[in-house]
Amino acid sequence: APPISQKAAGDAWRSGRRGMALAGNASREEAECLAGAAHALGVKLRVTGSADSLPQDVTHVIVVEGGGGVSSSSGGQSLPMRAYLAAARGLWVLSSSYIYRSFEEGSWQPEEAYELSYGGVRQARLRRHAPSPAGTGSGTGSAGVENGGPSGGDAAGGNGRGPAAHAMGVLAGVRVACWNTHLPPATIAALVEAADGEIVSHRVAHVLLTDAPDGSLPTALKRLPRGLGPKPRPSKWLFDVISGEADPTLAQAPGVDAGGNIEAAGEVQ
């Protein structure tokens, strides 16, 4: 999957163009009902597409609660893959009741009451839309909506009515490789890139995602002196990072020293 374009996403917020996608865990009948209700309010709900892709102009992802998905290491309620992609990009991740209630009321309702309360999606959205420390970002101000569509992003102040400057994703500056994982490489790449990380060879990675048995590593990495090379983590680590249960900028995260600096990965000759 290609890297997420922050400019394209920001342009969608500011222009008032809204994209809405179903997370993919609904039955065919429910998907049709949701699409019809959204259409009646002037917005097209995308109900098809690959689970490991999300169009760049999407601003709202709709989840049918109880429909299954992937949970983080702490367990609890699971999220569909598209919801994790949305969380990594700081998008709205809302219950399907958002569309139904808006249809009943005849207009789009405020999103906050329908944002999922699990999976760390709210924290991910607020973190991604927080202003830069120097307050130098672009894209502030109200995001008007054409044809009565749903509102746009979330300002750092929490009013939810307009996007602030996009902060970098939780994996910004982190190089990730994968080897023998339960998830397809394309899915891992999509999640990593949505969080502003970089997919690289295991020879130059900070983190090696692998679900192989303990001690099982690529032969080239086994030859490295102790302490060099990427830190192995299970693929669940990726969901933990996106949901806020693991923080790659802290000392306990893989490839980061006590000062919060990402260590250089060992080069394999």
Side-chain angles (χ1 to χ4, degrees), residues 49-122:
S50 171
D52 57 16
S53 68
L54 198 60
Q56 294 182 8
D57 63 345
V58 167
T59 55
H60 296 61
V61 168
I62 305 300
V63 174
V64 176
E65 296 189 71
V70 180
S71 60
S72 62
S73 293
S74 64
Q77 291 178 278
S78 58
L79 288 174
M81 196 66 65
R82 269 190 166 185
Y84 279 107
L85 283 172
R89 288 168 52 180
L91 309 182
W92 289 107
V93 181
L94 308 174
S95 165
S96 56
S97 58
Y98 169 67
I99 291 182
Y100 290 133
R101 177 52 60 90
S102 296
F103 178 74
E104 291 172 358
E105 298 294 332
S107 63
W108 291 108
Q109 301 301 295
E111 290 93 336
E112 287 87 348
Y114 303 93
E115 191 166 28
L116 297 190
S117 60
Y118 54 90
V121 296
R122 182 175 187 275

Side-chain angles (χ1 to χ4, degrees), residues 171-245:
L171 289 178
V174 179
R175 300 196 299 268
V176 180
C178 62
W179 180 74
N180 282 2
T181 59
H182 298 321
L183 293 174
T187 298
I188 290 177
L191 289 166
V192 169
E193 290 165 356
D196 285 342
E198 183 182 4
I199 290 290
V200 297
S201 163
H202 64 262
R203 297 171 182 266
V204 293
H206 298 118
V207 178
L208 176 68
L209 296 179
T210 177
D211 296 312
D214 290 345
S216 179
L217 291 172
T219 302
L221 295 183
K222 290 181 179 180
R223 297 171 181 166
L224 288 175
R226 182 181 296 274
L228 292 182
K231 303 298 188 292
R233 289 294 184 271
S235 55
K236 279 274 190 182
W237 177 86
L238 189 53
F239 299 101
D240 293 344
V241 167
I242 292 172
S243 63
E245 295 179 19

